[in-house]
Amino acid sequence: QKEVEQDPGPLSVPEGAIVSLNCTYSNSAFQYFMWYRQYSRKGPELLMYTYSSGNKEDGRFTAQVDKSSKYISLFIRDSQPSDSATYLCAVSNDMRFGAGTRLTVKP
Amino acid sequence: EAGVAQSPRYKIIEKRQSVAFWCNPISGHATLYWYQQILGQGPKLLIQFQNNGVVDDSQLPKDRFSAERLKGVDSTLKIQPAKLEDSAVYLCASSLAGRGVNTGELFFGEGSRLTVL
């Protein structure tokens, strides 16, 4: 079993839609959870960072962690074409990444 | 502040040849990572250095891959001999923190794209 599982998509939505991206993980010892965004031909960049369970909001982005079910989510409200990218979940302390979900937001 | 620098950006070689990638992390970052990202997949950790010591190389194919971080700053990743399945983007990342604690934000370079023919 992989440490981090993520549906690779691809996912295509119209502009303005709410996007839900999800990952599951296997090791209950993980405490730090991150979402990275990767544009084509670029390195990943940190988007959201969450410690333990709960929600964290930053503008149009909300990250959720449910440690009881080992499930992490990223929600994007009012999605924009500039949000088109691959979204990678990552778990610390050993920085393993999920497969990444490719998102396309159509104008 | 300068970001993580990697070179070369692109490399095309034939199978069984060798190749080396170079990474210069952000100044002051103790931890350096090399990831392999195959098209359509997430980054796979190959090796993690803290200063100039290896703390995780469990996924590094040691029969053909090697890496070093001299003086705890720059790092080189080498592949010899290359196979077709090594075609990928090799990403270098650095962070302030060390192993066993919150690694903090990873800062990535733009990657070195390898094509093995």
Side-chain angles (χ1 to χ4, degrees), chain A residues 8 32 34 36 38 41-46 49 86 88 92-100 102, chain B residues 9-10 35 37 40-43 45 56 58-59 91 99-103 105-106 108-110 113:
Chain A
Y32 301 92
M34 285 148 281
Y36 280 76
Q38 185 175 25
R41 298 187 177 273
K42 298 291 186 180
E45 295 178 305
L46 182 66
Y49 170 95
T86 297
L88 299 156
S92 187
N93 300 323
D94 290 321
M95 290 312 301
R96 289 337 196 226
F97 282 86
R102 180 185 291 182
Chain B
R9 287 293 313 277
Y10 304 93
Y35 286 87
Q37 188 173 27
Q41 298 182 19
L45 179 65
D56 186 351
S58 57
Q59 298 190 98
L91 293 163
R99 177 179 174 81
V101 295
N102 171 27
T103 56
E105 179 177 359
L106 264 60
F108 284 85
E110 295 203 320
R113 184 177 298 271

Side-chain angles (χ1 to χ4, degrees), chain B:
Chain B
E1 180 182 80
V4 176
Q6 289 190 247
S7 67
R9 287 293 313 277
Y10 304 93
K11 189 74 176 179
I12 300 174
I13 61 173
E14 295 188 349
K15 60 183 179 182
R16 291 187 290 274
Q17 287 187 324
S18 63
V19 63
F21 302 113
W22 173 83
C23 173
N24 185 23
I26 292 173
S27 178
H29 280 195
T31 308
L32 184 147
Y33 310 77
W34 282 103
Y35 286 87
Q36 178 193 58
Q37 188 173 27
I38 294 172
L39 185 65
Q41 298 182 19
K44 172 188 171 184
L45 179 65
L46 293 176
I47 189 166
Q48 177 183 354
F49 293 94
Q50 185 173 348
N51 297 309
N52 61 348
V54 175
V55 293
D56 186 351
D57 63 356
S58 57
Q59 298 190 98
L60 186 73
K62 298 180 184 63
D63 57 335
R64 297 183 301 105
F65 286 65
S66 64
E68 60 181 6
R69 189 182 185 195
L70 299 176
K71 300 180 182 178
V73 182
D74 294 8
S75 179
T76 303
L77 176 70
K78 296 180 181 178
I79 307 174
Q80 182 179 12
K83 293 185 175 181
L84 296 177
E85 59 261 36
D86 298 332
S87 294
V89 176
Y90 291 86
L91 293 163
C92 179
S94 68
S95 72
L96 276 171
R99 177 179 174 81
V101 295
N102 171 27
T103 56
E105 179 177 359
L106 264 60
F107 294 84
F108 284 85
E110 295 203 320
S112 293
R113 184 177 298 271
L114 173 67
T115 301
V116 182
L117 302 176

Side-chain angles (χ1 to χ4, degrees), chain A:
Chain A
Q1 181 185 16
K2 291 184 179 179
E3 290 183 318
V4 185
E5 299 272 7
Q6 182 177 10
D7 184 345
L11 181 62
S12 181
V13 302
E15 183 175 355
I18 296 174
V19 176
S20 173
L21 304 168
N22 308 292
C23 288
T24 58
Y25 62 95
S26 57
N27 189 337
S28 58
F30 291 140
Q31 294 180 310
Y32 301 92
F33 307 91
M34 285 148 281
W35 286 94
Y36 280 76
R37 179 172 60 194
Q38 185 175 25
Y39 291 112
S40 180
R41 298 187 177 273
K42 298 291 186 180
E45 295 178 305
L46 182 66
L47 183 62
M48 296 284 287
Y49 170 95
T50 309
Y51 171 72
S52 193
S53 287
N55 294 359
K56 185 173 183 178
E57 188 173 321
D58 184 2
R60 297 184 294 110
F61 298 88
T62 300
Q64 284 186 352
V65 177
D66 182 346
K67 292 197 73 177
S68 63
S69 58
K70 298 178 191 170
Y71 197 81
I72 58 178
S73 302
L74 178 70
F75 299 96
I76 307 174
R77 293 185 301 279
D78 187 24
S79 57
Q80 302 295 309
S82 57
D83 296 329
S84 297
T86 297
Y87 290 81
L88 299 156
C89 59
V91 294
S92 187
N93 300 323
D94 290 321
M95 290 312 301
R96 289 337 196 226
F97 282 86
T101 301
R102 180 185 291 182
L103 171 67
T104 301
V105 180
K106 296 184 176 180

